[in-house]
Amino acid sequence: MNSKAKNAAIGACIALFANMGMNSTFTIFLTSFAQTWPDSDVATIALAATFGCLMAFIWSTFLVGPILKKTTPRALFFVCAILSAGYCLIHYFSSAVWMLIVAGLLGGSTLGLGTHAMGVAAVTPYFADYGKKVGTVIAVVLASAALGAAAFSFIPGMLIPVMGWRNVYLVMGAVIVVCNLLAVALIPKTEAPKAAAGGAAAGTAEDVPGLTVGQALRTPAFWLVFLGILFLTINYQGLCTYMPTFLVECGMTQSAASSMQGIMQLVGIVFIIAGGALINKIGIKGLILFAGVPLAVGCLLYAFVFPSSATVVMAVLCSVLCVSGGVITNICPTITPVLFGNKNLNQINPIFSGGAFWGGAALASQVVGRVVTGTGSYPNGFTVAAVIGIAGMVVLFLALAANPMKKLGK
């Protein structure tokens, strides 16, 4: 593996660590926001996450693909550094919930530009250099996002009682800006697309097998994958958004609840890397089950067992099961070449990532939050999330059954 390929992977890892880490902190600060603005219910405050992920959906689905034709991930990570600084400064000076929503829009733009879609795009030109380790490289890059989520769950959770939540945002802002600038320095300036070993490809040459974006959009499989990813991430992010607040309600301290989510994200790294390493053995169907089944079981345990067995051990058990939800990030870049080939991989994959972002909070925070607010029960919200996640697995299996590449005889 040459130095450019290594630097691209390292730079992508650093960028995902920072940008995903920053955007995963909303749940950690939710209790502090609720205490600062007690007249607003949690679902209303969660509109900051809703609109933030709506912005990420717009960027990832409609803008990242066309922008990548004119610029590079390296340039966009520089933009992320600027957006990250604004995100943290607005939180520091916020005096009303609407300011959190404005900050969420900036954070969502950073998420759409600097996380899943951009992380994969940064390493795609070097697939040929990675050889048979392409799946492992993608898994490690995506795992860095989970590592960032874990680190930003642990550390801010511990610092909030000491420094206050506003000052913690200033510290986070400095760290995130530095990380994005490091990514800019590491990722090579020139990125010429190469055909990957074993049929993986990064370009759009005529000899590359697969469908164009327009052709993919006209297939049932495309929309089934979009809905399947959306449903699965409603399950995962619906739980993640409200789990810390639920744990505090059950008697845990805010620091302990933050640590519980940190454990969930940290152990999730193992699942994400394992998913990438096992894909050749378990196949895409196995990967879907690997991501969704433990998540649904853990979510249901939180709903029905934890409230009557409020121990840290039980919470850890539920969290360890739910960490499988992080493997959802592996499904997007894995299922795209299976169903649509590699001709427009860098344009189709961001659209599916957009579906994940949309489901991740734009819908999840409101679907689960409104159930919680309407019924007065967090377990009811978690139950709804689990049912939606199970439906997501079923929809993805339907997408595989309708594989358009088989019809093309590819």
Side-chain angles (χ1 to χ4, degrees):
M1 188 187 303
N2 62 43
S3 59
K4 284 188 176 182
K6 288 181 180 178
N7 288 343
I10 294 171
C13 284
I14 293 174
L16 263 68
F17 173 87
N19 297 317
M20 189 62 179
M22 178 184 77
N23 281 280
S24 70
T25 59
F26 180 82
T27 59
I28 303 304
F29 288 90
L30 185 56
T31 300
S32 296
F33 294 154
Q35 293 170 349
T36 305
W37 293 283
D39 293 335
S40 300
D41 59 62
V42 291
T44 299
I45 296 173
L47 284 171
T50 302
F51 284 102
C53 280
L54 174 60
M55 183 61 69
F57 166 78
I58 293 172
W59 275 103
S60 185
T61 304
F62 302 109
L63 302 177
V64 167
I67 288 174
L68 277 174
K69 294 180 179 180
K70 298 181 179 180
T71 186
T72 65
R74 182 178 182 273
L76 294 185
F77 286 138
F78 179 76
V79 175
C80 287
I82 299 173
L83 292 174
S84 299
Y87 173 86
C88 292
L89 285 174
I90 291 175
H91 273 99
Y92 178 78
F93 289 108
S94 60
S95 58
V97 172
W98 70 265
M99 294 185 71
L100 301 182
I101 295 175
V102 172
L105 294 175
L106 291 182
S109 298
T110 306
L111 189 65
L113 288 171
T115 316
H116 303 294
M118 296 311 308
V120 175
V123 298
T124 298
Y126 305 97
F127 276 3
D129 297 297
Y130 303 135
K132 295 181 179 180
K133 295 182 179 180
V134 169
T136 302
V137 171
I138 291 176
V140 170
V141 169
L142 294 177
S144 68
L147 179 60
F152 281 77
S153 294
F154 275 117
I155 299 173
M158 292 186 292
L159 291 179
I160 289 173
V162 179
M163 301 176 58
W165 65 268
R166 295 181 188 274
N167 290 325
V168 172
Y169 267 108
L170 288 182
V171 174
M172 285 199 321
V175 171
I176 297 160
V177 168
V178 169
C179 285
N180 276 299
L181 292 178
L182 279 175
V184 170
L186 283 167
I187 294 175
K189 295 181 180 180
T190 303
E191 298 178 348
K194 300 177 182 179
T204 58
E206 290 300 323
D207 58 344
V208 177
L211 282 67
T212 65
V213 175
Q215 291 171 331
L217 287 172
R218 292 192 292 271
T219 65
F222 179 92
W223 298 105
L224 288 171
V225 172
F226 189 91
L227 288 175
I229 296 296
L230 185 150
F231 289 164
L232 274 175
T233 48
I234 285 178
N235 184 183
Y236 183 55
Q237 296 297 337
L239 172 68
C240 289
T241 299
Y242 296 102
M243 187 185 76
T245 307
F246 171 59
L247 294 178
V248 170
E249 188 179 83
C250 289
M252 283 191 181
T253 64
Q254 186 173 359
S255 295
S258 299
S259 297
M260 203 60 58
Q261 181 155 326
I263 292 171
M264 182 174 170
Q265 301 286 0
L266 196 58
V267 180
I269 297 171
V270 178
F271 276 73
I272 294 172
I273 295 177
L278 291 173
I279 184 61
N280 291 330
K281 295 182 179 180
I282 64 177
I284 185 61
K285 291 181 179 179
L287 187 66
I288 293 169
L289 293 174
F290 185 63
V293 172
L295 169 62
V297 172
C299 198
L300 290 172
L301 285 175
Y302 259 121
F304 294 106
V305 179
F306 182 82
S308 59
S309 180
T311 64
V312 172
V313 173
M314 188 63 215
V316 170
L317 172 62
C318 296
S319 296
V320 168
L321 287 170
C322 291
V323 296
S324 67
V327 181
I328 296 167
T329 60
N330 294 45
I331 295 176
C332 291
T334 303
I335 202 170
T336 300
V338 171
L339 296 180
F340 309 105
N342 299 292
K343 185 182 291 291
N344 279 177
L345 178 65
N346 269 352
Q347 282 72 53
I348 296 175
N349 182 65
I351 299 176
F352 290 146
S353 294
F357 294 139
W358 176 265
L363 284 180
S365 62
Q366 292 306 302
V367 170
V368 178
R370 295 302 168 185
V371 172
V372 171
T373 301
T375 65
S377 169
Y378 283 95
N380 286 346
F382 297 156
T383 301
V384 169
V387 171
I388 292 174
I390 293 170
M393 287 187 286
V394 173
V395 171
L396 286 175
F397 283 125
L398 291 175
L400 290 171
N403 190 340
M405 290 295 286
K406 290 183 178 179
K407 296 179 182 179
L408 291 176
K410 300 293 185 180

